[in-house]
Amino acid sequence: MFLRVFAAATLIATPLLATKVERADQLMKLIRDNGCQMTATEADTTLPQHGFTMDETRLIVLSWIQAGLVDTHEFEGIKLSDKGCQGA
C-alpha cells in the first residue's frame, strides 16, 4: 500500500517539479534578455505579463542566490552575477 501511495505521489510531483524548473528557466531568460538585470519597476511591469507572481519570483530568486546566480550587492531589482548571466 505504501509503495502505491509513494508511486502516485511521485507521478504527481514530477510534473510540478518540471513546471518549477521551466518557470525558473523562463524567468532567467527574461532577465538575461533585459541585459542580465531587471529593476523593480521593470519587474512590476514585465513579470506579471508573463504570469509571474511576486511570491513565485521571490522563491525562484532565493534559490538563485543560494546557487550564486544573483549579485546581491545593492541593486533595486534583480541583477544576475557573472555566473548567472553567462549561464554557467
Side-chain angles (χ1 to χ4, degrees):
M1 178 70 168
F2 175 75
L3 290 177
R4 286 186 203 160
V5 171
F6 179 75
T10 302
L11 289 174
I12 292 169
T14 301
L16 293 176
L17 291 175
T19 301
K20 287 182 180 183
V21 170
E22 290 168 1
R23 294 292 287 163
D25 289 347
Q26 181 184 12
L27 180 57
M28 182 66 77
K29 181 176 179 347
L30 288 170
I31 297 169
R32 284 180 180 151
D33 289 349
N34 198 58
C36 290
Q37 64 184 25
M38 189 172 286
T39 67
T41 302
E42 290 170 328
D44 287 345
T45 303
T46 303
L47 299 183
Q49 293 174 355
H50 295 275
F52 286 95
T53 65
M54 185 180 294
D55 289 339
E56 179 185 26
T57 303
R58 184 179 301 115
L59 290 173
I60 293 170
V61 171
L62 285 174
S63 72
W64 290 350
I65 290 170
Q66 293 173 346
L69 301 175
V70 175
D71 182 355
T72 57
H73 296 91
E74 303 176 29
F75 180 76
E76 290 294 321
I78 303 167
K79 183 175 182 181
L80 300 178
S81 65
D82 290 340
K83 179 181 176 182
C85 191
Q86 295 171 2

